[in-house]
Amino acid sequence: MRHTLEQCADAFFDAAWTSVAAQLATDLRLKNDLLKRRGTGAALASVSDAVTLAPGGDSIIVDQLQDNATAAHGTGVTFLPSVFGRPHLMVVHARGWQPVVQYPVAEASPAEPVSLETVTRRLEALAHPVRLRLLRTLARGPHTTGELAHAWNSHPRRYPATSPSCATPGCSRPGGAAATSTTPSTCRR
């Protein structure tokens, strides 16, 4: 196992690590500063718009498609920044294990401006209520057409018909294995 890890380090990891280490350290400093100066709620909000502190301050709410809960009393929650997982927020938990939230580190530079023509095409794609509902769901993460149908209590064949009209203006992209996801720079909430 050690030999395999050393080969990976030589082949790609060492170069990748040097390019992202400063970005991860900056994110750590930012989160610690927010936690000290503005509290837990501000630190959680900087992780993602989908992560908030409950009004009572006793739990963390992660807005995802699933209705699920876990307890972290005594064990805490691990927040794991990722440069390569952008734009996805991933929460993993299992009975007896400490919950982990993997979140994307903010981009170092602002995104390129979007043309008026592209914005117009995207808004036209959102004019249909089914497409709008579909994109709201996809903005939370990739889903297969079957998962979308199950989540919205409809038939899977309904979604391939709406997906191309969203893909044309650049609001979605195929994600493999019949999965679809929004691109980070195109369809933000």
Side-chain angles (χ1 to χ4, degrees):
M1 179 64 141
R2 180 178 176 173
H3 181 65
T4 300
L5 293 174
E6 288 171 346
Q7 287 178 324
C8 290
D10 292 339
F12 63 88
F13 184 77
D14 287 347
W17 180 252
T18 56
S19 70
V20 300
Q23 206 174 351
L24 292 171
T26 301
D27 183 72
L28 177 63
R29 279 192 305 275
L30 175 90
K31 300 294 186 283
N32 280 327
D33 185 52
L34 282 170
L35 182 62
K36 289 176 187 172
R37 294 178 189 270
R38 296 185 47 211
T40 306
L44 288 172
S46 72
V47 166
S48 167
D49 290 342
V51 180
T52 57
L53 188 61
D58 61 342
S59 60
I60 298 170
I61 300 169
V62 181
D63 181 17
Q64 295 285 338
L65 180 63
Q66 305 173 39
D67 288 330
N68 211 334
T70 189
H73 302 288
T75 62
V77 177
T78 298
F79 286 87
L80 182 65
S82 173
V83 173
F84 302 111
R86 185 179 304 123
H88 303 288
L89 174 73
M90 183 169 27
V91 180
V92 179
H93 65 89
R95 183 179 294 269
W97 290 64
Q98 182 177 20
V100 176
V101 178
Q102 179 180 317
Y103 66 92
V105 173
E107 294 184 38
S109 59
E112 291 291 318
V114 179
S115 72
L116 180 59
E117 177 187 348
T118 301
V119 170
T120 302
R121 287 188 359 244
R122 290 175 185 166
L123 290 173
E124 287 169 356
L126 295 175
H128 191 281
V130 173
R131 288 185 215 137
L132 182 58
R133 183 174 67 184
L134 172 68
L135 289 173
R136 282 185 179 147
T137 302
L138 292 174
R140 296 178 175 167
H143 302 287
T144 65
T145 54
E147 291 169 336
L148 292 170
H150 179 72
W152 293 107
N153 198 23
S154 63
H155 197 278
R157 280 184 270 175
R158 182 172 191 179
Y159 295 101
T162 58
S163 296
S165 59
C166 295
T168 301
C171 289
S172 65
R173 62 179 167 75
T180 307
S181 66
T182 58
T183 57
S185 59
T186 57
C187 295
R188 295 185 188 272
R189 275 193 279 167

